[in-house]
Amino acid sequence: MRIYLDANATTPLLPEVVSAMHPFWSEGFGNPSSAHAGGQRTRAAVERARTSVASLLNCTPREIVFTSGGTESDNFALTGVLQPYLDRFLAQGQPVHLITTNIEHHAVLFAAEALERRGVEVTCLAPNHAGVVSADDLTAALRPHTRLVSVMLANNETGAIQPVGKLARITKAHGAIFHTDAVQAAAKLPVDLSGEFKNVDLLSISGHKMYAPQGTGALFVRKGVNLSPLFYGGPHERQRRAGTENVPGIVGLGCAADLARSWLAENGPEHMRALRDKLESGLLAAVPGASANSADAPRAPNTVNLRIDGIDAERLLIALDLQGISASFGAACQSGATEPSHVLLAMGLSPAEARSSIRLSLSRLTTEGDIDSALQIIPLVIAKLRSLHRQQAASTHP
Ligand code: PLP
């Protein structure tokens, strides 16, 4: 039995989600825009799913726009807000300013870079050593022409939670729009858009990080916030996102949102956090030279980012894979070469430290037995790699 510790990359589909989607791949195939009975059935299913997602986030169903996932939601938020300013202000020579952070997912960072190439001024806030950005830094970065602030809720590599409620309040007082990428937070932590996050204007979620299928997601757009669409076509999603809806995917996302609500209400995060803490403290005790990145930050309950002195993360992940453990590293693979993680570098780690860091992320299906097995296997694999390393060093420098 494999041990899956890569839930931040993608979560397994829950059986209830598969069952909920199933009819919409067979007899329930109608186009939700069709007026006939088949269309009305799928329209009703899409709207039920919208209500489920809205209930998870404590907003109204009309504020939910279904998308193809986190990447589209992030791009839609950034480009959708700033496009009208590009059209109006930049054409008249007036500056437009965007603030984000340098620990965002590339879906935000590269969208910001593309906007920068089109003339938008971009400021990236830097995190502290624990991977958390500060409200004071945001306040200092705001300019009269700051139109949008985008700060993620939980980081995908370290799990570090950003003070989004506070940052959104500051942004609102300044008169700018606030977006948060909650892809790694929704369905792991309570996200209340009418309470703690009432000043958040836009919020991205992704289906495949919350036990629904890949290629599904949503953007919360608070009532009154206007976005330019990314796509042109039909009047779907109240003119905000053209294209026939992915009905099975949306139904799966709705089901996953209902399951997440129950899981959150039944102390799921506490149980997950206890397993994560057992894994983390067990590894720190058993592996010499190991330390946890972002250990001093409030974190998503499922994520461990472990730095292991002298270990090449890529080699370790291959060795773990051979032993039946799926994990990941806080690094991006670009053109076949492993780049040190931009998140860990931003936190002040050296490239070598970033290259010796791995990410272990639990899912709701991770069991205590998985953690016990991982605690036996991972230290042994690391010890073996270290011994191989010593042998290689001895043979090259006899
Ligand atoms: N934002 C964050 C924080 C993520 O972790 C991811 C995916 O890893 C995305 C955005 C992109 O989401 P998707 O894969 O649904 O496009």
Side-chain angles (χ1 to χ4, degrees):
M1 271 285 279
R2 286 194 69 85
I3 302 170
Y4 186 71
L5 292 174
D6 201 15
N8 284 10
T10 201
T11 45
L13 276 179
L14 290 176
E16 295 92 328
V17 172
V18 176
S19 304
M21 290 190 296
H22 197 262
F24 298 93
W25 275 310
S26 46
E27 74 277 9
F29 61 88
N31 184 326
S33 299
S34 295
H36 53 66
Q40 283 175 31
R41 253 196 317 273
T42 48
R43 166 59 53 210
V46 166
E47 296 316 316
R48 267 197 308 277
R50 199 185 304 282
T51 302
S52 297
V53 173
S55 302
L56 176 67
L57 303 175
N58 202 12
C59 63
T60 64
R62 289 159 79 97
E63 292 172 311
I64 296 298
V65 180
F66 288 118
T67 66
S68 65
T71 300
E72 183 187 328
S73 296
D74 288 345
N75 276 268
F76 186 20
L78 268 66
T79 310
V81 167
L82 293 180
Q83 183 62 51
Y85 291 104
L86 288 171
D87 294 344
R88 248 183 306 142
F89 289 176
L90 277 184
Q92 295 163 11
Q94 292 183 47
V96 176
H97 184 221
L98 159 70
I99 299 176
T100 184
T101 78
N102 52 18
I103 55 166
E104 299 297 313
H105 189 271
H106 285 136
V108 166
L109 277 182
F110 289 168
E113 278 180 31
L115 287 160
E116 193 170 34
R117 285 194 292 277
R118 295 173 65 195
V120 173
E121 294 171 8
V122 179
T123 301
C124 286
L125 304 177
N128 63 12
H129 76 282
V132 181
V133 299
S134 86
D136 287 346
D137 286 353
L138 172 62
T139 304
L142 285 165
R143 301 179 194 164
H145 52 279
T146 304
R147 304 294 176 190
L148 176 66
V149 176
S150 177
V151 180
M152 71 196 327
L153 187 41
N155 184 268
N156 43 305
E157 295 187 22
T158 63
I161 295 171
Q162 309 302 315
V164 157
K166 205 167 174 186
L167 302 177
R169 198 166 58 242
I170 294 168
T171 303
K172 186 165 193 106
H174 187 76
I177 298 284
F178 189 90
H179 166 249
T180 188
D181 173 340
V183 163
Q184 295 289 352
K188 286 179 194 153
L189 303 162
V191 173
D192 183 355
L193 285 162
S194 303
E196 185 185 1
F197 300 128
K198 65 177 187 293
N199 293 313
V200 167
D201 297 297
L202 301 158
L203 178 142
S204 305
I205 64 169
S206 168
H208 76 112
K209 313 292 184 177
M210 49 182 280
Y211 311 89
Q214 293 153 354
T216 62
L219 181 68
F220 157 79
V221 183
R222 193 173 292 282
K223 186 167 180 271
V225 174
N226 289 319
L227 292 185
S228 290
L230 284 184
F231 307 143
Y232 296 94
H236 309 90
E237 297 295 297
R238 299 164 56 82
Q239 317 265 5
R240 293 172 294 187
R241 202 271 186 180
T244 301
E245 296 87 342
N246 167 6
V247 177
I250 288 171
V251 168
L253 181 58
C255 177
D258 289 339
L259 294 169
R261 269 205 313 148
S262 309
W263 182 80
L264 289 166
E266 289 158 9
N267 291 334
E270 286 73 19
H271 174 69
M272 186 178 252
R273 180 173 288 116
L275 285 184
R276 188 274 310 271
D277 289 350
K278 179 174 179 180
L279 177 65
E280 183 170 289
S281 55
L283 290 174
L284 292 177
V287 178
S291 51
N293 295 319
S294 283
D296 299 338
R299 279 182 293 165
N302 76 322
T303 309
V304 181
N305 194 303
L306 203 67
R307 186 166 93 221
I308 308 145
D309 284 350
I311 285 286
D312 175 50
E314 204 169 351
R315 288 181 70 184
L316 174 57
L317 291 171
I318 294 167
L320 289 176
D321 195 24
L322 291 172
Q323 294 301 316
I325 297 184
S326 305
S328 171
F329 50 118
C333 206
Q334 279 160 8
S335 345
T338 307
E339 297 292 325
S341 148
H342 69 280
V343 174
L344 300 180
L345 293 183
M347 287 162 53
L349 271 70
S350 69
E353 287 171 330
R355 281 201 181 89
S356 61
S357 298
I358 62 164
R359 178 185 72 186
L360 304 165
S361 47
L362 284 63
S363 89
R364 254 182 249 163
L365 303 184
T366 307
T367 63
E368 182 126 32
D370 291 336
I371 299 299
D372 291 338
S373 304
L375 284 173
Q376 287 185 346
I377 297 168
I378 297 173
L380 286 178
V381 170
I382 293 171
K384 204 164 168 191
L385 278 181
R386 282 187 164 143
S387 133
L388 271 173
H389 195 68
R390 274 195 300 274
Q391 282 169 23
Q392 277 166 359
S395 63
T396 36
H397 306 290

